[in-house]
Amino acid sequence: MTEEISYPVINKEICKGCMRCIVGCPQNAILLSQDMNNAGYQFAYYSGNGCTGCKDCYFTCPEPLALEVHQYKKIVDDSVAKMIKAKANQGGN
């Protein structure tokens, strides 16, 4: 069994704070920083939870390379490892 984990990665130096990703996120997982980047824009950042991997933020962002959505699968129940461990335990008998 696997669990999919998703989260946006926002390049704060490319983000211009247009807020399209913030408005587009159905989970309200992206916020606008009060800080400024080196170009003088407030930038969006991920709140740390709530991302479902829908990629709405990615598709609404007008800045190429400002926002990516990373997804990976985490093995929650490793049945193969359990099977190998069970076989190894049987081998000693």
Side-chain angles (χ1 to χ4, degrees):
M1 180 176 184
T2 60
E3 174 186 0
E4 189 169 297
I5 297 173
S6 304
Y7 58 93
V9 175
I10 301 168
N11 185 330
K12 73 176 191 177
E13 295 304 326
I14 296 176
C15 177
K16 292 182 178 173
C18 70
M19 299 180 56
R20 290 183 186 178
C21 61
I22 296 169
V23 173
C25 179
Q27 304 301 320
N28 298 320
I30 300 175
L31 305 171
L32 187 65
S33 172
Q34 296 301 313
D35 297 330
M36 303 278 191
N37 61 18
N38 287 332
Y41 295 105
Q42 288 180 283
F43 52 91
Y45 69 97
Y46 179 47
S47 67
N49 57 41
C51 180
T52 60
C54 70
K55 300 183 184 98
D56 285 352
C57 56
Y58 173 80
F59 290 115
T60 58
C61 180
E63 295 297 325
L65 306 176
L67 195 151
E68 301 171 348
V69 176
H70 292 215
Q71 294 178 305
Y72 68 94
K73 293 185 178 183
K74 178 180 173 185
I75 297 172
V76 176
D77 180 14
D78 190 356
S79 58
V80 173
K82 287 180 181 177
M83 185 174 65
I84 291 171
K85 186 175 180 180
K87 291 251 183 201
N89 288 339
Q90 289 176 352
N93 292 331

